[in-house]
Amino acid sequence: MSQEGVLSIVSSSGSSIKATMWFGPMRAKESSIWLLHLLNHQGFLERCSFKQNTQGRIKLKLELKKRLDWEQVLTNTKLSVVSLITRTENLSGD
């Protein structure tokens, strides 16, 4: 099983990249934040789905359009999500 909150590239071929992420019950909100940030990049997120298992873990499956800057887009997205989560937790006192 993948590490929680880490994007794992499943395959990279042709014009698309398939990736998955797992989130535990305490970090489930982070999956939605990832999706929102990826949607900010026009035409980058081609498909997505998520499933929640009986323990509350969420598996996020993504299909991304392969483009020259795809690695940079994912790096920037990760930094944005981490920053947003950290600021939110600091404001709420978690």
Side-chain angles (χ1 to χ4, degrees):
M1 192 172 294
S2 296
Q3 186 178 359
E4 188 174 307
V6 174
L7 184 73
S8 300
I9 304 298
V10 176
S11 68
S12 175
S13 60
S15 63
S16 69
I17 301 153
K18 293 184 180 178
T20 59
M21 294 181 84
W22 281 94
F23 298 94
M26 299 302 288
R27 295 181 64 189
K29 64 184 175 190
E30 194 172 330
S31 63
S32 299
I33 296 169
W34 264 92
L35 283 176
L36 289 172
H37 277 78
L38 289 173
L39 286 170
N40 263 346
H41 302 280
Q42 182 130 10
F44 185 53
L45 182 62
E46 293 185 331
R47 287 187 189 143
C48 66
S49 66
F50 66 95
K51 294 181 181 176
Q52 188 168 12
N53 66 18
T54 56
Q55 291 88 26
R57 289 177 49 86
I58 292 175
K59 180 180 184 181
L60 183 61
K61 292 171 64 174
L62 306 168
E63 188 169 331
L64 309 167
K65 185 173 191 161
K66 190 185 263 185
R67 46 190 228 191
L68 293 177
D69 66 341
W70 72 270
E71 290 175 321
Q72 188 62 49
V73 170
L74 291 177
T75 299
N76 293 346
T77 299
K78 181 177 183 175
L79 292 173
S80 296
V81 171
V82 167
S83 174
L84 184 61
I85 295 285
T86 303
R87 282 187 300 198
T88 302
E89 287 174 347
N90 287 340
L91 288 173
S92 67
D94 289 348

Coordinates of all heavy atoms in Angstrom, one line a residue:
M1 N 0.8 -1.2 0.0 CA 0.0 0.0 0.0 C 0.9 1.2 0.0 O 1.9 1.3 0.6 CB -0.9 0.0 1.2 CG -2.0 1.0 1.1 SD -3.2 0.9 2.4 CE -4.0 -0.7 2.0
S2 N 0.5 2.2 -0.7 CA 1.2 3.5 -0.9 C 1.2 4.3 0.4 O 0.3 4.2 1.2 CB 0.7 4.3 -2.0 OG 0.8 3.7 -3.2
Q3 N 2.3 5.1 0.6 CA 2.3 6.0 1.7 C 1.2 7.1 1.6 O 0.9 7.5 0.5 CB 3.7 6.7 1.7 CG 4.0 7.5 2.9 CD 5.4 8.1 2.9 OE1 6.1 7.8 2.0 NE2 5.7 8.9 3.9
E4 N 0.7 7.4 2.7 CA -0.4 8.3 2.8 C 0.0 9.7 2.2 O 1.0 10.3 2.6 CB -0.9 8.4 4.2 CG -2.2 9.2 4.3 CD -2.7 9.2 5.8 OE1 -2.9 8.1 6.3 OE2 -2.9 10.3 6.3
G5 N -0.9 10.2 1.3 CA -0.6 11.6 0.8 C 0.5 11.7 -0.2 O 0.8 12.8 -0.6
V6 N 1.0 10.6 -0.7 CA 2.1 10.6 -1.7 C 1.6 10.2 -3.0 O 0.9 9.2 -3.1 CB 3.3 9.7 -1.2 CG1 4.4 9.7 -2.3 CG2 3.9 10.2 0.1
L7 N 1.9 11.0 -4.0 CA 1.4 10.7 -5.4 C 2.3 9.6 -5.9 O 3.5 9.7 -6.0 CB 1.5 11.9 -6.2 CG 1.0 11.8 -7.7 CD1 -0.5 11.7 -7.7 CD2 1.4 13.0 -8.5
S8 N 1.8 8.5 -6.3 CA 2.5 7.4 -6.9 C 2.1 7.3 -8.4 O 1.0 7.1 -8.8 CB 2.1 6.0 -6.3 OG 2.4 6.1 -4.9
I9 N 3.2 7.4 -9.3 CA 2.9 7.3 -10.7 C 2.8 5.8 -11.0 O 3.7 5.0 -10.8 CB 4.1 7.9 -11.5 CG1 4.3 9.4 -11.1 CG2 3.9 7.7 -13.0 CD1 3.2 10.3 -11.4
V10 N 1.7 5.4 -11.5 CA 1.4 4.0 -11.9 C 1.9 3.7 -13.3 O 2.6 2.7 -13.5 CB -0.1 3.7 -11.8 CG1 -0.4 2.3 -12.2 CG2 -0.7 4.0 -10.4
S11 N 1.7 4.6 -14.2 CA 2.2 4.4 -15.6 C 2.3 5.8 -16.2 O 1.6 6.7 -15.9 CB 1.3 3.5 -16.4 OG 0.1 4.1 -16.6
S12 N 3.3 5.8 -17.2 CA 3.5 7.0 -17.9 C 3.8 6.6 -19.4 O 4.9 6.2 -19.7 CB 4.6 7.8 -17.4 OG 4.9 8.9 -18.2
S13 N 2.8 6.7 -20.2 CA 3.0 6.3 -21.6 C 2.2 7.2 -22.5 O 1.1 7.7 -22.2 CB 2.5 4.8 -21.7 OG 1.1 4.7 -21.4
G14 N 2.7 7.3 -23.7 CA 2.0 8.1 -24.7 C 1.7 9.5 -24.3 O 2.6 10.2 -23.9
S15 N 0.5 9.8 -24.2 CA 0.1 11.2 -23.8 C -0.5 11.3 -22.4 O -1.0 12.4 -22.1 CB -0.9 11.8 -24.9 OG -2.1 11.0 -24.8
S16 N -0.5 10.2 -21.6 CA -1.1 10.4 -20.3 C -0.3 9.7 -19.2 O 0.6 8.9 -19.5 CB -2.5 9.7 -20.3 OG -2.4 8.3 -20.4
I17 N -0.6 10.2 -18.0 CA 0.1 9.7 -16.8 C -1.0 9.2 -15.9 O -2.0 9.9 -15.6 CB 0.9 10.8 -16.1 CG1 1.9 11.4 -17.0 CG2 1.5 10.4 -14.8 CD1 2.2 12.8 -16.8
K18 N -0.9 8.0 -15.4 CA -1.8 7.5 -14.4 C -1.1 7.4 -13.0 O 0.0 7.0 -12.9 CB -2.3 6.1 -14.8 CG -3.1 6.1 -16.1 CD -3.7 4.8 -16.5 CE -4.5 4.9 -17.8 NZ -5.0 3.7 -18.2
A19 N -1.9 7.9 -12.1 CA -1.3 8.0 -10.7 C -2.4 7.7 -9.7 O -3.6 7.8 -9.9 CB -0.8 9.5 -10.5
T20 N -1.9 7.4 -8.5 CA -2.8 7.1 -7.4 C -2.3 7.8 -6.1 O -1.1 8.0 -6.0 CB -3.0 5.6 -7.1 OG1 -1.7 5.1 -6.7 CG2 -3.6 4.9 -8.2
M21 N -3.2 8.1 -5.2 CA -2.8 8.6 -3.9 C -3.8 8.0 -2.9 O -4.9 7.7 -3.2 CB -3.0 10.1 -3.8 CG -2.1 10.9 -4.7 SD -2.3 12.7 -4.5 CE -1.3 13.0 -3.1
W22 N -3.3 7.7 -1.7 CA -4.1 7.2 -0.6 C -4.1 8.3 0.5 O -3.1 8.9 0.8 CB -3.5 6.0 0.0 CG -3.8 4.7 -0.8 CD1 -3.0 4.2 -1.7 CD2 -4.9 3.9 -0.7 NE1 -3.6 3.1 -2.2 CE2 -4.8 2.9 -1.6 CE3 -6.1 3.9 0.1 CZ2 -5.7 1.9 -1.8 CZ3 -7.0 2.9 -0.1 CH2 -6.8 1.9 -1.0
F23 N -5.3 8.4 1.2 CA -5.4 9.3 2.3 C -6.1 8.6 3.4 O -7.1 8.0 3.2 CB -6.2 10.6 1.9 CG -5.6 11.4 0.8 CD1 -5.9 11.2 -0.5 CD2 -4.6 12.4 1.1 CE1 -5.3 11.9 -1.5 CE2 -4.0 13.1 0.1 CZ -4.4 12.9 -1.2
G24 N -5.6 8.7 4.6 CA -6.3 8.2 5.8 C -7.5 9.0 6.2 O -7.7 10.1 5.7
P25 N -8.3 8.5 7.1 CA -9.5 9.2 7.5 C -9.2 10.7 8.0 O -10.0 11.6 7.8 CB -10.1 8.4 8.6 CG -9.5 7.0 8.4 CD -8.1 7.2 7.8
M26 N -8.1 10.8 8.7 CA -7.8 12.1 9.2 C -7.3 13.1 8.2 O -7.3 14.3 8.4 CB -6.7 12.0 10.3 CG -7.1 11.1 11.5 SD -8.6 11.7 12.3 CE -8.0 13.2 13.1
R27 N -6.9 12.6 7.0 CA -6.4 13.5 5.9 C -7.3 13.4 4.7 O -6.9 13.8 3.6 CB -5.0 13.1 5.5 CG -4.0 13.3 6.7 CD -2.6 12.9 6.3 NE -2.1 13.8 5.2 CZ -1.0 13.6 4.6 NH1 -0.3 12.5 4.9 NH2 -0.6 14.4 3.6
A28 N -8.5 13.0 4.8 CA -9.5 12.8 3.7 C -9.7 14.2 3.0 O -9.8 14.2 1.8 CB -10.8 12.2 4.2
K29 N -9.8 15.2 3.7 CA -10.0 16.5 3.1 C -8.9 16.9 2.1 O -9.2 17.6 1.2 CB -10.2 17.6 4.2 CG -8.9 17.9 5.0 CD -9.1 18.9 6.1 CE -7.9 19.0 6.9 NZ -8.1 19.8 8.1
E30 N -7.7 16.4 2.4 CA -6.6 16.7 1.5 C -6.8 16.2 0.1 O -6.4 16.8 -0.9 CB -5.3 16.1 2.1 CG -4.1 16.7 1.5 CD -2.8 16.2 2.2 OE1 -2.9 15.9 3.4 OE2 -1.8 16.1 1.5
S31 N -7.6 15.1 -0.1 CA -7.8 14.6 -1.4 C -8.6 15.6 -2.3 O -8.3 15.8 -3.5 CB -8.5 13.2 -1.4 OG -9.8 13.4 -0.8
S32 N -9.6 16.2 -1.7 CA -10.4 17.2 -2.4 C -9.5 18.4 -2.7 O -9.7 19.0 -3.8 CB -11.6 17.7 -1.5 OG -12.4 16.6 -1.3
I33 N -8.7 18.8 -1.9 CA -7.8 20.0 -2.1 C -6.9 19.7 -3.3 O -6.6 20.6 -4.1 CB -7.1 20.4 -0.8 CG1 -8.1 20.9 0.2 CG2 -6.0 21.5 -1.1 CD1 -7.5 21.0 1.6
W34 N -6.3 18.5 -3.3 CA -5.5 18.1 -4.5 C -6.3 18.2 -5.8 O -5.8 18.8 -6.7 CB -5.0 16.6 -4.3 CG -3.6 16.5 -3.7 CD1 -3.3 16.4 -2.4 CD2 -2.4 16.6 -4.4 NE1 -2.0 16.3 -2.2 CE2 -1.4 16.4 -3.5 CE3 -2.0 16.7 -5.8 CZ2 0.0 16.4 -3.8 CZ3 -0.7 16.7 -6.1 CH2 0.3 16.5 -5.1
L35 N -7.5 17.7 -5.8 CA -8.3 17.8 -7.0 C -8.5 19.2 -7.4 O -8.4 19.5 -8.6 CB -9.6 17.0 -6.8 CG -9.5 15.5 -6.9 CD1 -10.9 14.9 -6.6 CD2 -9.1 15.0 -8.2
L36 N -8.9 20.0 -6.5 CA -9.2 21.4 -6.8 C -7.9 22.1 -7.4 O -8.0 22.9 -8.4 CB -9.7 22.2 -5.6 CG -11.1 21.8 -5.1 CD1 -11.4 22.5 -3.8 CD2 -12.1 22.2 -6.2
H37 N -6.8 21.9 -6.8 CA -5.6 22.5 -7.3 C -5.2 21.9 -8.7 O -4.7 22.7 -9.6 CB -4.4 22.3 -6.4 CG -4.4 23.3 -5.3 ND1 -5.2 23.2 -4.2 CD2 -3.6 24.4 -5.1 CE1 -5.0 24.2 -3.4 NE2 -4.0 25.0 -3.9
L38 N -5.4 20.6 -9.0 CA -5.1 20.1 -10.3 C -6.0 20.6 -11.3 O -5.7 20.8 -12.5 CB -5.1 18.6 -10.2 CG -4.0 17.9 -9.5 CD1 -4.2 16.4 -9.4 CD2 -2.6 18.2 -10.2
L39 N -7.3 20.9 -11.0 CA -8.3 21.4 -11.9 C -7.9 22.9 -12.3 O -8.4 23.3 -13.3 CB -9.7 21.4 -11.3 CG -10.3 20.0 -11.3 CD1 -11.5 20.0 -10.4 CD2 -10.6 19.5 -12.6
N40 N -7.1 23.5 -11.5 CA -6.7 24.9 -11.8 C -5.8 24.9 -13.1 O -5.7 26.0 -13.7 CB -5.8 25.5 -10.7 CG -6.6 26.4 -9.8 OD1 -7.8 26.7 -10.1 ND2 -6.1 26.7 -8.7
H41 N -5.2 23.8 -13.5 CA -4.3 23.7 -14.6 C -5.2 23.2 -15.8 O -5.5 22.0 -15.9 CB -3.1 22.8 -14.4 CG -2.3 23.3 -13.2 ND1 -1.4 24.3 -13.3 CD2 -2.3 22.9 -11.9 CE1 -0.8 24.5 -12.2 NE2 -1.4 23.6 -11.3
Q42 N -5.6 24.1 -16.7 CA -6.5 23.8 -17.7 C -6.0 22.6 -18.6 O -4.9 22.5 -19.1 CB -6.7 25.0 -18.6 CG -7.7 24.7 -19.8 CD -8.7 25.8 -19.8 OE1 -8.6 26.9 -19.2 NE2 -9.7 25.6 -20.6
G43 N -6.9 21.6 -18.7 CA -6.6 20.4 -19.5 C -5.6 19.4 -19.0 O -5.3 18.5 -19.7
F44 N -5.2 19.6 -17.7 CA -4.2 18.7 -17.2 C -4.8 17.5 -16.6 O -4.3 16.4 -16.8 CB -3.3 19.5 -16.1 CG -2.2 18.7 -15.6 CD1 -1.2 18.1 -16.4 CD2 -2.0 18.6 -14.2 CE1 -0.2 17.4 -15.9 CE2 -1.0 17.9 -13.7 CZ 0.0 17.3 -14.5
L45 N -5.9 17.7 -15.8 CA -6.6 16.5 -15.2 C -7.6 16.0 -16.2 O -8.6 16.7 -16.5 CB -7.2 17.0 -13.9 CG -8.0 15.9 -13.1 CD1 -7.0 14.8 -12.7 CD2 -8.7 16.5 -11.9
E46 N -7.3 14.8 -16.7 CA -8.2 14.2 -17.7 C -9.3 13.4 -17.1 O -10.5 13.5 -17.5 CB -7.5 13.4 -18.7 CG -6.5 14.3 -19.6 CD -5.8 13.5 -20.7 OE1 -5.6 12.3 -20.5 OE2 -5.5 14.1 -21.7
R47 N -9.0 12.6 -16.1 CA -10.0 11.8 -15.4 C -9.6 11.7 -13.9 O -8.4 11.7 -13.6 CB -10.0 10.4 -16.0 CG -10.7 10.3 -17.3 CD -10.8 8.8 -17.6 NE -11.3 8.7 -19.0 CZ -10.9 7.8 -19.9 NH1 -10.0 6.9 -19.5 NH2 -11.3 7.9 -21.1
C48 N -10.6 11.5 -13.1 CA -10.3 11.2 -11.7 C -11.4 10.4 -11.1 O -12.6 10.4 -11.6 CB -10.1 12.5 -10.9 SG -11.5 13.5 -10.7
S49 N -11.1 9.6 -10.1 CA -12.1 8.9 -9.4 C -11.5 8.6 -8.0 O -10.3 8.7 -7.7 CB -12.4 7.5 -10.0 OG -11.3 6.7 -10.0
F50 N -12.4 8.4 -7.0 CA -12.0 8.1 -5.7 C -12.9 7.1 -5.1 O -14.1 7.0 -5.4 CB -11.9 9.3 -4.8 CG -13.1 10.0 -4.5 CD1 -13.8 9.8 -3.4 CD2 -13.7 11.0 -5.4 CE1 -15.0 10.4 -3.1 CE2 -14.8 11.6 -5.1 CZ -15.5 11.3 -4.0
K51 N -12.4 6.3 -4.2 CA -13.1 5.3 -3.5 C -12.7 5.4 -2.0 O -11.6 5.6 -1.7 CB -12.8 3.9 -4.0 CG -13.3 3.6 -5.4 CD -13.0 2.2 -5.8 CE -13.4 2.0 -7.3 NZ -13.1 0.7 -7.8
Q52 N -13.7 5.1 -1.2 CA -13.4 5.1 0.3 C -13.7 3.7 0.8 O -14.7 3.1 0.5 CB -14.3 6.1 1.0 CG -14.0 6.2 2.5 CD -14.7 7.4 3.1 OE1 -15.6 8.0 2.5 NE2 -14.2 7.8 4.3
N53 N -12.7 3.1 1.5 CA -12.9 1.8 2.0 C -13.6 1.8 3.4 O -13.9 2.9 3.9 CB -11.6 1.0 2.0 CG -10.6 1.6 3.0 OD1 -10.9 2.3 3.9 ND2 -9.3 1.2 2.8
T54 N -13.8 0.7 3.9 CA -14.6 0.6 5.2 C -13.8 1.2 6.4 O -14.4 1.5 7.4 CB -14.9 -0.9 5.5 OG1 -13.7 -1.7 5.6 CG2 -15.9 -1.4 4.5
Q55 N -12.5 1.3 6.3 CA -11.7 2.0 7.3 C -11.6 3.5 7.2 O -11.0 4.2 8.0 CB -10.2 1.4 7.3 CG -10.1 0.0 7.8 CD -10.3 -1.0 6.6 OE1 -10.0 -0.6 5.5 NE2 -10.7 -2.2 6.9
G56 N -12.3 4.0 6.1 CA -12.3 5.4 5.9 C -11.1 6.0 5.1 O -11.0 7.2 4.8
R57 N -10.3 5.1 4.6 CA -9.2 5.5 3.7 C -9.7 5.8 2.3 O -10.6 5.1 1.8 CB -8.1 4.4 3.6 CG -7.3 4.3 4.9 CD -6.3 3.2 4.9 NE -5.4 3.2 3.7 CZ -4.3 3.9 3.6 NH1 -3.9 4.7 4.6 NH2 -3.6 3.8 2.5
I58 N -9.2 6.8 1.7 CA -9.6 7.2 0.4 C -8.5 6.9 -0.6 O -7.3 7.3 -0.4 CB -10.0 8.7 0.3 CG1 -11.2 8.9 1.2 CG2 -10.2 9.2 -1.1 CD1 -11.6 10.4 1.3
K59 N -8.8 6.3 -1.7 CA -7.9 6.1 -2.8 C -8.3 7.0 -4.0 O -9.4 6.9 -4.5 CB -7.9 4.6 -3.3 CG -7.0 4.4 -4.5 CD -7.0 2.9 -4.9 CE -6.0 2.6 -6.0 NZ -6.1 1.2 -6.4
L60 N -7.4 7.9 -4.3 CA -7.7 8.8 -5.4 C -6.9 8.4 -6.6 O -5.7 8.1 -6.6 CB -7.2 10.2 -5.0 CG -7.3 11.4 -5.9 CD1 -8.8 11.7 -6.1 CD2 -6.7 12.6 -5.2
K61 N -7.6 8.1 -7.7 CA -7.0 7.7 -9.0 C -7.1 8.9 -10.0 O -8.1 9.4 -10.2 CB -7.7 6.5 -9.6 CG -7.5 5.2 -8.7 CD -8.4 4.1 -9.2 CE -8.0 3.6 -10.5 NZ -8.8 2.4 -10.9
L62 N -5.9 9.2 -10.6 CA -5.9 10.3 -11.5 C -5.3 9.9 -12.8 O -4.4 9.1 -12.9 CB -4.9 11.4 -10.9 CG -5.2 11.9 -9.5 CD1 -4.0 12.7 -9.0 CD2 -6.5 12.7 -9.5
E63 N -5.8 10.5 -13.9 CA -5.2 10.4 -15.2 C -4.9 11.8 -15.7 O -5.8 12.6 -15.8 CB -6.2 9.7 -16.2 CG -5.5 9.4 -17.5 CD -6.2 8.5 -18.4 OE1 -7.0 7.6 -17.9 OE2 -6.1 8.6 -19.6
L64 N -3.7 12.1 -15.9 CA -3.2 13.4 -16.2 C -2.7 13.5 -17.6 O -2.1 12.5 -18.1 CB -2.1 13.8 -15.2 CG -2.4 13.6 -13.7 CD1 -1.1 13.8 -12.9 CD2 -3.4 14.6 -13.3
K65 N -2.8 14.6 -18.2 CA -2.3 14.8 -19.6 C -0.8 15.0 -19.5 O -0.3 15.9 -18.8 CB -3.0 16.0 -20.3 CG -2.6 16.2 -21.7 CD -3.4 17.3 -22.3 CE -3.2 17.3 -23.8 NZ -4.2 18.0 -24.5
K66 N 0.0 14.2 -20.2 CA 1.4 14.4 -20.2 C 1.8 15.6 -21.1 O 1.3 15.7 -22.2 CB 2.1 13.1 -20.8 CG 3.6 13.2 -20.6 CD 4.3 12.0 -21.3 CE 4.5 10.9 -20.4 NZ 5.2 9.8 -21.0
R67 N 2.5 16.5 -20.5 CA 2.9 17.7 -21.1 C 4.3 18.0 -20.6 O 4.8 17.4 -19.7 CB 2.0 18.9 -21.0 CG 1.5 19.1 -19.5 CD 0.4 20.1 -19.5 NE 0.7 21.0 -18.4 CZ -0.2 21.9 -18.0 NH1 -1.4 21.9 -18.5 NH2 0.1 22.8 -17.1
L68 N 5.0 18.9 -21.3 CA 6.4 19.1 -21.0 C 6.6 19.5 -19.5 O 7.6 19.1 -18.9 CB 7.0 20.2 -21.8 CG 7.1 19.9 -23.3 CD1 7.6 21.1 -24.1 CD2 8.0 18.7 -23.6
D69 N 5.7 20.2 -18.9 CA 5.9 20.7 -17.5 C 5.1 19.9 -16.5 O 4.9 20.3 -15.4 CB 5.5 22.2 -17.4 CG 4.0 22.4 -17.7 OD1 3.3 21.5 -18.2 OD2 3.5 23.5 -17.3
W70 N 4.7 18.6 -16.8 CA 3.9 17.9 -15.9 C 4.5 17.7 -14.5 O 3.8 17.8 -13.5 CB 3.4 16.6 -16.5 CG 4.4 15.5 -16.6 CD1 5.3 15.3 -17.7 CD2 4.8 14.5 -15.7 NE1 6.1 14.2 -17.5 CE2 5.8 13.7 -16.2 CE3 4.3 14.2 -14.4 CZ2 6.3 12.6 -15.6 CZ3 4.8 13.1 -13.7 CH2 5.8 12.3 -14.3
E71 N 5.8 17.4 -14.5 CA 6.5 17.2 -13.2 C 6.5 18.5 -12.3 O 6.3 18.4 -11.1 CB 7.9 16.7 -13.3 CG 7.9 15.3 -13.9 CD 9.3 14.8 -14.2 OE1 10.1 15.6 -14.7 OE2 9.6 13.6 -13.9
Q72 N 6.7 19.6 -13.0 CA 6.7 20.9 -12.3 C 5.3 21.2 -11.8 O 5.1 21.7 -10.7 CB 7.2 22.0 -13.2 CG 7.4 23.3 -12.4 CD 8.4 23.2 -11.3 OE1 9.5 22.7 -11.5 NE2 8.1 23.7 -10.1
V73 N 4.3 20.9 -12.6 CA 2.9 21.2 -12.1 C 2.6 20.4 -10.9 O 2.0 20.9 -9.9 CB 1.9 20.8 -13.3 CG1 0.4 20.9 -12.7 CG2 2.0 21.8 -14.4
L74 N 3.0 19.1 -10.9 CA 2.7 18.3 -9.7 C 3.5 18.8 -8.5 O 3.0 18.8 -7.3 CB 3.1 16.8 -10.0 CG 2.1 16.1 -10.9 CD1 2.6 14.7 -11.2 CD2 0.7 16.1 -10.4
T75 N 4.7 19.2 -8.7 CA 5.5 19.7 -7.6 C 4.9 21.0 -7.0 O 4.8 21.2 -5.8 CB 7.0 20.0 -8.0 OG1 7.6 18.8 -8.5 CG2 7.8 20.6 -6.9
N76 N 4.5 21.9 -7.9 CA 3.8 23.1 -7.4 C 2.5 22.9 -6.7 O 2.2 23.5 -5.7 CB 3.6 24.1 -8.6 CG 4.8 24.6 -9.2 OD1 5.9 24.5 -8.7 ND2 4.7 25.1 -10.4
T77 N 1.8 21.9 -7.2 CA 0.5 21.5 -6.6 C 0.8 21.0 -5.2 O 0.1 21.4 -4.2 CB -0.2 20.5 -7.4 OG1 -0.5 21.0 -8.7 CG2 -1.5 20.0 -6.8
K78 N 1.7 20.1 -5.0 CA 2.1 19.5 -3.7 C 2.4 20.7 -2.7 O 1.9 20.7 -1.6 CB 3.2 18.6 -3.8 CG 3.6 17.9 -2.5 CD 4.7 16.9 -2.7 CE 4.9 16.3 -1.3 NZ 5.9 15.2 -1.4
L79 N 3.3 21.6 -3.2 CA 3.6 22.7 -2.3 C 2.5 23.6 -1.9 O 2.3 24.0 -0.8 CB 4.7 23.6 -3.0 CG 6.1 22.9 -3.2 CD1 7.0 23.8 -4.0 CD2 6.7 22.6 -1.8
S80 N 1.6 23.8 -2.9 CA 0.4 24.6 -2.6 C -0.5 23.9 -1.6 O -1.1 24.6 -0.7 CB -0.4 24.9 -3.9 OG 0.3 25.6 -4.8
V81 N -0.7 22.6 -1.8 CA -1.6 21.8 -0.9 C -1.0 21.8 0.5 O -1.7 22.1 1.5 CB -1.8 20.4 -1.4 CG1 -2.6 19.6 -0.4 CG2 -2.7 20.5 -2.7
V82 N 0.3 21.5 0.6 CA 1.0 21.5 2.0 C 0.9 22.8 2.7 O 0.6 22.9 3.8 CB 2.4 21.0 1.8 CG1 3.2 21.2 3.1 CG2 2.5 19.5 1.4
S83 N 1.1 23.9 1.9 CA 1.0 25.2 2.5 C -0.4 25.5 3.0 O -0.6 26.1 4.1 CB 1.5 26.2 1.4 OG 1.3 27.5 1.9
L84 N -1.4 25.2 2.2 CA -2.8 25.5 2.5 C -3.2 24.7 3.8 O -3.8 25.2 4.7 CB -3.7 25.2 1.4 CG -5.2 25.5 1.6 CD1 -5.4 27.0 1.9 CD2 -6.0 25.0 0.4
I85 N -2.8 23.4 3.8 CA -3.1 22.5 5.0 C -2.5 23.1 6.2 O -3.1 23.2 7.3 CB -2.7 21.1 4.7 CG1 -3.5 20.5 3.5 CG2 -2.8 20.2 6.0 CD1 -4.9 20.1 3.9
T86 N -1.2 23.4 6.1 CA -0.4 23.9 7.3 C -1.0 25.2 7.8 O -1.2 25.4 9.0 CB 1.0 24.2 6.9 OG1 1.6 23.0 6.4 CG2 1.8 24.7 8.1
R87 N -1.4 26.2 6.9 CA -2.0 27.4 7.3 C -3.3 27.2 8.0 O -3.7 27.8 9.0 CB -2.2 28.4 6.2 CG -0.9 29.1 5.7 CD -1.2 30.1 4.7 NE -1.8 29.4 3.5 CZ -1.9 29.9 2.3 NH1 -1.4 31.1 2.1 NH2 -2.4 29.2 1.4
T88 N -4.1 26.3 7.4 CA -5.4 26.0 8.0 C -5.3 25.3 9.4 O -6.0 25.7 10.3 CB -6.2 25.0 7.1 OG1 -6.3 25.6 5.8 CG2 -7.6 24.7 7.6
E89 N -4.4 24.4 9.5 CA -4.2 23.8 10.8 C -3.7 24.8 11.9 O -4.0 24.7 13.0 CB -3.2 22.6 10.7 CG -3.8 21.4 10.0 CD -2.9 20.3 9.7 OE1 -1.6 20.5 9.8 OE2 -3.3 19.2 9.3
N90 N -2.8 25.7 11.4 CA -2.3 26.7 12.4 C -3.4 27.7 12.8 O -3.4 28.1 14.0 CB -1.1 27.5 11.7 CG 0.1 26.7 11.6 OD1 0.3 25.7 12.3 ND2 1.0 27.1 10.7
L91 N -4.3 28.0 11.9 CA -5.4 28.9 12.3 C -6.4 28.2 13.2 O -7.0 28.9 14.1 CB -6.1 29.4 11.0 CG -5.4 30.4 10.1 CD1 -6.1 30.6 8.8 CD2 -5.2 31.7 10.9
S92 N -6.6 26.9 13.0 CA -7.6 26.2 13.8 C -7.0 25.7 15.1 O -7.8 25.2 15.9 CB -8.3 25.1 13.0 OG -7.3 24.1 12.7
G93 N -5.7 25.7 15.2 CA -5.0 25.2 16.4 C -4.9 23.7 16.5 O -4.6 23.2 17.6
D94 N -5.0 23.0 15.4 CA -4.8 21.5 15.4 C -3.4 21.2 15.5 O -2.5 21.8 15.2 CB -5.3 20.9 14.1 CG -6.9 20.9 14.0 OD1 -7.5 21.2 15.0 OD2 -7.4 20.7 12.9

